[in-house]
Short mmCIF file of all heavy atoms in Angstrom, two decimals:
data_model
loop_
_atom_site.label_atom_id
_atom_site.label_comp_id
_atom_site.label_asym_id
_atom_site.label_seq_id
_atom_site.Cartn_x
_atom_site.Cartn_y
_atom_site.Cartn_z
N ALA A 1394 112.31 224.17 301.92
CA ALA A 1394 111.46 224.63 303.12
C ALA A 1394 110.14 225.28 302.47
O ALA A 1394 109.14 225.34 303.08
CB ALA A 1394 112.20 225.49 303.91
N PHE A 1395 110.20 225.95 301.33
CA PHE A 1395 109.13 226.72 300.76
C PHE A 1395 108.94 226.41 299.28
O PHE A 1395 109.92 226.06 298.56
CB PHE A 1395 109.31 228.26 300.94
CG PHE A 1395 109.49 228.68 302.35
CD1 PHE A 1395 110.56 228.78 303.01
CD2 PHE A 1395 108.22 229.02 303.01
CE1 PHE A 1395 110.67 229.14 304.31
CE2 PHE A 1395 108.21 229.37 304.42
CZ PHE A 1395 109.48 229.48 305.03
N ALA A 1396 107.79 226.51 298.81
CA ALA A 1396 107.55 226.36 297.35
C ALA A 1396 108.30 227.61 296.69
O ALA A 1396 108.32 228.80 297.35
CB ALA A 1396 105.97 226.58 297.13
N ARG A 1397 108.71 227.37 295.56
CA ARG A 1397 109.47 228.45 294.76
C ARG A 1397 108.79 228.74 293.49
O ARG A 1397 108.26 227.91 292.89
CB ARG A 1397 110.92 227.94 294.56
CG ARG A 1397 111.76 227.80 295.85
CD ARG A 1397 113.13 227.51 295.56
NE ARG A 1397 113.91 227.29 296.80
CZ ARG A 1397 115.19 227.74 296.87
NH1 ARG A 1397 115.93 228.17 295.91
NH2 ARG A 1397 115.92 227.48 298.08
N GLU A 1398 108.99 230.04 293.11
CA GLU A 1398 108.49 230.53 291.85
C GLU A 1398 109.50 231.42 291.21
O GLU A 1398 109.85 232.36 291.69
CB GLU A 1398 107.25 231.28 292.14
CG GLU A 1398 106.44 231.89 290.83
CD GLU A 1398 105.58 230.77 290.08
OE1 GLU A 1398 105.62 229.60 290.51
OE2 GLU A 1398 105.16 231.11 289.04
N GLU A 1399 109.93 230.99 290.06
CA GLU A 1399 110.94 231.81 289.23
C GLU A 1399 110.27 232.90 288.57
O GLU A 1399 109.14 232.75 287.91
CB GLU A 1399 111.63 230.87 288.16
CG GLU A 1399 112.58 231.53 287.31
CD GLU A 1399 113.96 231.90 287.96
OE1 GLU A 1399 114.10 231.56 289.16
OE2 GLU A 1399 114.84 232.68 287.37
N ILE A 1400 110.81 234.11 288.67
CA ILE A 1400 110.16 235.36 288.00
C ILE A 1400 111.18 235.98 287.11
O ILE A 1400 112.34 235.72 287.15
CB ILE A 1400 109.65 236.26 289.11
CG1 ILE A 1400 110.84 236.80 290.08
CG2 ILE A 1400 108.55 235.72 289.99
CD1 ILE A 1400 110.36 237.85 290.98
N GLY A 1401 110.62 236.77 286.16
CA GLY A 1401 111.47 237.53 285.14
C GLY A 1401 111.86 238.90 285.81
O GLY A 1401 111.69 239.24 286.85
N TYR A 1402 112.58 239.61 284.92
CA TYR A 1402 113.13 240.95 285.37
C TYR A 1402 112.21 241.92 285.80
O TYR A 1402 112.33 242.41 286.81
CB TYR A 1402 114.11 241.48 284.18
CG TYR A 1402 114.75 242.67 284.66
CD1 TYR A 1402 115.90 242.67 285.46
CD2 TYR A 1402 114.27 243.90 284.27
CE1 TYR A 1402 116.54 243.88 285.85
CE2 TYR A 1402 114.81 245.09 284.65
CZ TYR A 1402 115.98 245.01 285.42
OH TYR A 1402 116.54 246.28 285.92
N GLU A 1403 111.25 242.15 285.01
CA GLU A 1403 110.20 243.17 285.33
C GLU A 1403 109.52 242.81 286.70
O GLU A 1403 109.23 243.70 287.48
CB GLU A 1403 109.07 243.27 284.23
CG GLU A 1403 109.62 243.95 283.01
CD GLU A 1403 110.52 242.98 282.18
OE1 GLU A 1403 110.43 241.69 282.32
OE2 GLU A 1403 111.29 243.46 281.20
N GLN A 1404 109.19 241.51 286.89
CA GLN A 1404 108.47 241.13 288.10
C GLN A 1404 109.52 241.32 289.31
O GLN A 1404 109.15 241.80 290.41
CB GLN A 1404 108.09 239.65 288.06
CG GLN A 1404 106.85 239.43 287.29
CD GLN A 1404 106.59 237.94 287.15
OE1 GLN A 1404 107.56 237.19 286.66
NE2 GLN A 1404 105.51 237.48 287.69
N ALA A 1405 110.82 240.99 289.12
CA ALA A 1405 111.70 241.17 290.17
C ALA A 1405 111.91 242.67 290.49
O ALA A 1405 111.94 242.92 291.79
CB ALA A 1405 113.08 240.70 289.69
N ILE A 1406 112.02 243.57 289.60
CA ILE A 1406 112.06 244.89 289.95
C ILE A 1406 110.83 245.49 290.73
O ILE A 1406 110.87 246.30 291.57
CB ILE A 1406 112.35 245.76 288.67
CG1 ILE A 1406 113.66 245.53 288.14
CG2 ILE A 1406 112.28 247.33 288.96
CD1 ILE A 1406 114.87 245.77 289.05
N ALA A 1407 109.69 244.99 290.17
CA ALA A 1407 108.42 245.33 290.86
C ALA A 1407 108.44 244.81 292.28
O ALA A 1407 108.04 245.54 293.24
CB ALA A 1407 107.26 244.76 290.07
N TYR A 1408 108.91 243.63 292.47
CA TYR A 1408 108.97 243.15 293.92
C TYR A 1408 109.94 243.86 294.72
O TYR A 1408 109.59 244.28 295.83
CB TYR A 1408 109.45 241.58 293.76
CG TYR A 1408 109.65 241.05 295.17
CD1 TYR A 1408 108.66 240.69 295.97
CD2 TYR A 1408 111.07 240.98 295.67
CE1 TYR A 1408 108.79 240.11 297.21
CE2 TYR A 1408 111.23 240.36 297.02
CZ TYR A 1408 110.07 239.99 297.76
OH TYR A 1408 110.36 239.55 299.04
N LEU A 1409 111.14 244.24 294.29
CA LEU A 1409 111.95 245.02 294.92
C LEU A 1409 111.60 246.47 295.20
O LEU A 1409 112.19 247.23 296.05
CB LEU A 1409 113.34 245.07 294.19
CG LEU A 1409 114.14 243.67 294.12
CD1 LEU A 1409 115.16 243.77 293.10
CD2 LEU A 1409 114.55 243.26 295.54
N ARG A 1410 110.59 246.90 294.49
CA ARG A 1410 109.96 248.24 294.70
C ARG A 1410 108.81 248.09 295.75
O ARG A 1410 108.11 249.10 296.05
CB ARG A 1410 109.52 248.95 293.34
CG ARG A 1410 110.56 249.46 292.51
CD ARG A 1410 110.07 250.00 291.32
NE ARG A 1410 110.87 250.84 290.56
CZ ARG A 1410 110.96 251.07 289.23
NH1 ARG A 1410 109.96 250.41 288.43
NH2 ARG A 1410 111.78 251.84 288.66
N LYS A 1411 108.64 246.88 296.11
CA LYS A 1411 107.48 246.45 297.03
C LYS A 1411 106.17 246.89 296.43
O LYS A 1411 105.20 247.22 297.09
CB LYS A 1411 107.62 247.27 298.43
CG LYS A 1411 106.88 246.42 299.41
CD LYS A 1411 107.24 246.91 300.92
CE LYS A 1411 106.27 246.25 301.83
NZ LYS A 1411 106.34 244.83 301.95
N GLU A 1412 106.02 246.62 295.12
CA GLU A 1412 104.73 246.56 294.49
C GLU A 1412 104.06 245.35 294.45
O GLU A 1412 104.66 244.24 294.83
CB GLU A 1412 104.96 247.09 293.08
CG GLU A 1412 105.68 248.57 292.88
CD GLU A 1412 106.05 248.88 291.45
OE1 GLU A 1412 106.00 248.07 290.62
OE2 GLU A 1412 106.61 250.04 291.35
N ALA A 1413 102.88 245.37 294.05
CA ALA A 1413 102.08 244.16 294.00
C ALA A 1413 102.68 243.22 292.89
O ALA A 1413 103.08 243.76 291.85
CB ALA A 1413 100.74 244.29 293.73
N VAL A 1414 102.75 241.96 293.12
CA VAL A 1414 103.27 240.91 292.24
C VAL A 1414 102.15 239.91 291.81
O VAL A 1414 101.48 239.39 292.66
CB VAL A 1414 104.56 240.28 292.66
CG1 VAL A 1414 105.08 239.17 291.66
CG2 VAL A 1414 105.61 241.22 293.02
N VAL A 1415 101.96 239.66 290.49
CA VAL A 1415 101.08 238.66 290.11
C VAL A 1415 101.86 237.47 289.62
O VAL A 1415 102.69 237.61 288.69
CB VAL A 1415 100.13 239.27 288.96
CG1 VAL A 1415 99.14 238.12 288.47
CG2 VAL A 1415 99.31 240.42 289.46
N LEU A 1416 101.58 236.28 290.20
CA LEU A 1416 102.17 235.14 289.85
C LEU A 1416 101.51 234.33 288.83
O LEU A 1416 100.33 234.67 288.55
CB LEU A 1416 102.47 234.28 291.05
CG LEU A 1416 103.37 234.99 292.16
CD1 LEU A 1416 103.59 233.98 293.33
CD2 LEU A 1416 104.67 235.47 291.70
N SER A 1417 101.98 233.34 288.25
CA SER A 1417 101.22 232.49 287.34
C SER A 1417 100.12 231.70 287.94
O SER A 1417 100.12 231.47 289.19
CB SER A 1417 102.29 231.42 286.69
OG SER A 1417 102.65 230.54 287.63
N ALA A 1418 99.15 231.35 287.20
CA ALA A 1418 98.03 230.55 287.74
C ALA A 1418 98.59 229.16 288.45
O ALA A 1418 97.78 228.74 289.31
CB ALA A 1418 97.04 230.32 286.64
N ALA A 1419 99.61 228.79 288.01
CA ALA A 1419 100.07 227.43 288.52
C ALA A 1419 100.71 227.63 289.81
O ALA A 1419 101.01 226.61 290.59
CB ALA A 1419 100.94 226.78 287.55
N ALA A 1420 101.14 228.89 290.30
CA ALA A 1420 101.84 229.09 291.49
C ALA A 1420 100.99 228.67 292.66
O ALA A 1420 99.81 228.86 292.80
CB ALA A 1420 102.15 230.59 291.60
N PRO A 1421 101.59 228.05 293.65
CA PRO A 1421 100.94 227.51 294.90
C PRO A 1421 100.47 228.65 295.67
O PRO A 1421 101.11 229.77 295.66
CB PRO A 1421 101.93 226.70 295.53
CG PRO A 1421 103.23 227.25 295.06
CD PRO A 1421 103.08 227.72 293.76
N ARG A 1422 99.34 228.46 296.43
CA ARG A 1422 98.87 229.49 297.30
C ARG A 1422 99.76 229.41 298.65
O ARG A 1422 100.39 228.50 298.99
CB ARG A 1422 97.38 229.14 297.79
CG ARG A 1422 96.40 229.28 296.63
CD ARG A 1422 96.31 230.64 296.05
NE ARG A 1422 95.26 230.69 295.16
CZ ARG A 1422 95.34 230.49 293.78
NH1 ARG A 1422 96.59 230.17 293.20
NH2 ARG A 1422 94.31 230.49 293.03
N GLY A 1423 99.64 230.60 299.37
CA GLY A 1423 100.42 230.68 300.68
C GLY A 1423 101.82 231.31 300.52
O GLY A 1423 102.00 232.03 299.43
N VAL A 1424 102.68 231.03 301.31
CA VAL A 1424 104.02 231.72 301.27
C VAL A 1424 104.74 231.00 300.18
O VAL A 1424 104.97 229.78 300.10
CB VAL A 1424 104.80 231.62 302.66
CG1 VAL A 1424 106.16 232.08 302.58
CG2 VAL A 1424 104.03 232.39 303.72
N VAL A 1425 105.32 231.81 299.34
CA VAL A 1425 106.17 231.31 298.26
C VAL A 1425 107.43 232.11 298.12
O VAL A 1425 107.51 233.38 298.39
CB VAL A 1425 105.37 231.65 296.86
CG1 VAL A 1425 106.23 231.26 295.75
CG2 VAL A 1425 104.12 230.81 296.80
N LEU A 1426 108.57 231.45 297.88
CA LEU A 1426 109.90 232.15 297.78
C LEU A 1426 110.10 232.37 296.29
O LEU A 1426 110.11 231.51 295.50
CB LEU A 1426 110.88 231.18 298.24
CG LEU A 1426 112.49 231.71 298.24
CD1 LEU A 1426 112.62 232.91 299.09
CD2 LEU A 1426 113.43 230.58 298.67
N LEU A 1427 110.22 233.75 296.04
CA LEU A 1427 110.53 234.16 294.66
C LEU A 1427 111.98 233.99 294.28
O LEU A 1427 112.87 234.19 295.28
CB LEU A 1427 110.12 235.65 294.47
CG LEU A 1427 108.60 235.88 294.71
CD1 LEU A 1427 108.37 237.44 294.24
CD2 LEU A 1427 107.76 235.04 293.95
N THR A 1428 112.39 233.46 293.10
CA THR A 1428 113.74 233.32 292.81
C THR A 1428 113.99 234.14 291.41
O THR A 1428 113.02 234.26 290.60
CB THR A 1428 114.15 231.93 292.66
OG1 THR A 1428 113.37 231.25 291.57
CG2 THR A 1428 114.10 231.18 293.89
N TYR A 1429 115.15 234.64 291.21
CA TYR A 1429 115.45 235.32 290.00
C TYR A 1429 116.82 234.66 289.51
O TYR A 1429 117.74 234.59 290.36
CB TYR A 1429 115.55 236.79 290.21
CG TYR A 1429 116.10 237.54 288.96
CD1 TYR A 1429 115.18 237.70 288.01
CD2 TYR A 1429 117.32 238.03 288.78
CE1 TYR A 1429 115.60 238.27 286.83
CE2 TYR A 1429 117.72 238.68 287.62
CZ TYR A 1429 116.88 238.85 286.66
OH TYR A 1429 117.18 239.54 285.51
N LYS A 1430 116.88 234.08 288.46
CA LYS A 1430 117.90 233.39 287.78
C LYS A 1430 118.23 232.17 288.91
O LYS A 1430 119.42 231.91 289.16
CB LYS A 1430 119.07 234.13 287.52
CG LYS A 1430 118.95 235.30 286.45
CD LYS A 1430 120.15 236.00 286.19
CE LYS A 1430 119.73 237.05 285.06
NZ LYS A 1430 119.42 236.48 283.80
N LEU A 1431 117.24 231.63 289.54
CA LEU A 1431 117.20 230.62 290.52
C LEU A 1431 117.87 231.07 291.85
O LEU A 1431 118.07 230.15 292.70
CB LEU A 1431 118.07 229.43 289.97
CG LEU A 1431 117.48 228.80 288.59
CD1 LEU A 1431 118.37 227.53 288.17
CD2 LEU A 1431 116.02 228.39 288.79
N ILE A 1432 118.18 232.28 291.95
CA ILE A 1432 118.69 232.74 293.33
C ILE A 1432 117.42 233.49 294.21
O ILE A 1432 116.73 234.13 293.68
CB ILE A 1432 119.64 233.99 293.17
CG1 ILE A 1432 120.91 233.46 292.25
CG2 ILE A 1432 120.09 234.60 294.33
CD1 ILE A 1432 121.74 232.45 292.97
N PRO A 1433 117.34 232.98 295.45
CA PRO A 1433 116.25 233.47 296.25
C PRO A 1433 116.35 235.06 296.34
O PRO A 1433 117.32 235.62 296.64
CB PRO A 1433 116.46 232.77 297.56
CG PRO A 1433 117.25 231.58 297.34
CD PRO A 1433 118.16 231.92 296.15
N LEU A 1434 115.06 235.55 296.14
CA LEU A 1434 115.08 236.99 296.17
C LEU A 1434 114.13 237.53 297.36
O LEU A 1434 114.40 238.49 297.95
CB LEU A 1434 114.37 237.51 294.81
CG LEU A 1434 114.45 238.99 294.50
CD1 LEU A 1434 115.93 239.41 294.35
CD2 LEU A 1434 113.74 239.24 293.24
N GLY A 1435 113.24 236.83 297.74
CA GLY A 1435 112.36 237.21 298.96
C GLY A 1435 110.99 236.44 298.79
O GLY A 1435 110.67 235.65 297.97
N PHE A 1436 110.18 236.74 299.85
CA PHE A 1436 108.91 235.91 300.02
C PHE A 1436 107.74 236.77 299.58
O PHE A 1436 107.75 238.16 299.68
CB PHE A 1436 108.71 235.58 301.58
CG PHE A 1436 109.59 234.57 302.12
CD1 PHE A 1436 110.56 234.84 303.10
CD2 PHE A 1436 109.58 233.29 301.57
CE1 PHE A 1436 111.43 233.94 303.57
CE2 PHE A 1436 110.43 232.21 302.08
CZ PHE A 1436 111.40 232.67 303.14
N VAL A 1437 106.77 236.13 299.15
CA VAL A 1437 105.38 236.78 298.92
C VAL A 1437 104.42 235.78 299.54
O VAL A 1437 104.68 234.63 299.82
CB VAL A 1437 104.92 237.03 297.42
CG1 VAL A 1437 105.96 237.97 296.82
CG2 VAL A 1437 105.09 235.75 296.69
N LYS A 1438 103.14 236.17 299.76
CA LYS A 1438 102.05 235.40 300.22
C LYS A 1438 101.08 235.40 299.15
O LYS A 1438 100.37 236.46 298.93
CB LYS A 1438 101.48 235.93 301.64
CG LYS A 1438 100.32 234.85 302.08
CD LYS A 1438 99.84 235.26 303.45
CE LYS A 1438 98.87 234.16 304.03
NZ LYS A 1438 98.33 234.55 305.26
N ASN A 1439 100.93 234.35 298.39
CA ASN A 1439 100.15 234.32 297.23
C ASN A 1439 98.70 233.95 297.65
O ASN A 1439 98.39 232.91 298.21
CB ASN A 1439 100.69 233.21 296.28
CG ASN A 1439 99.96 233.35 294.92
OD1 ASN A 1439 99.42 234.35 294.49
ND2 ASN A 1439 99.97 232.07 294.19
#
Side-chain angles (χ1 to χ4, degrees):
F1395 297 92
R1397 298 188 175 211
E1398 182 78 0
E1399 177 75 3
I1400 59 175
Y1402 180 79
E1403 289 77 13
Q1404 286 175 300
I1406 294 300
Y1408 176 75
L1409 292 168
R1410 283 176 167 156
K1411 202 168 172 60
E1412 298 171 355
V1414 178
V1415 178
L1416 303 182
S1417 68
R1422 300 294 191 269
V1424 175
V1425 176
L1426 178 63
L1427 300 185
T1428 61
Y1429 178 73
K1430 297 185 185 298
L1431 303 181
I1432 300 293
L1434 195 60
F1436 292 113
V1437 296
K1438 186 174 183 180
N1439 188 23

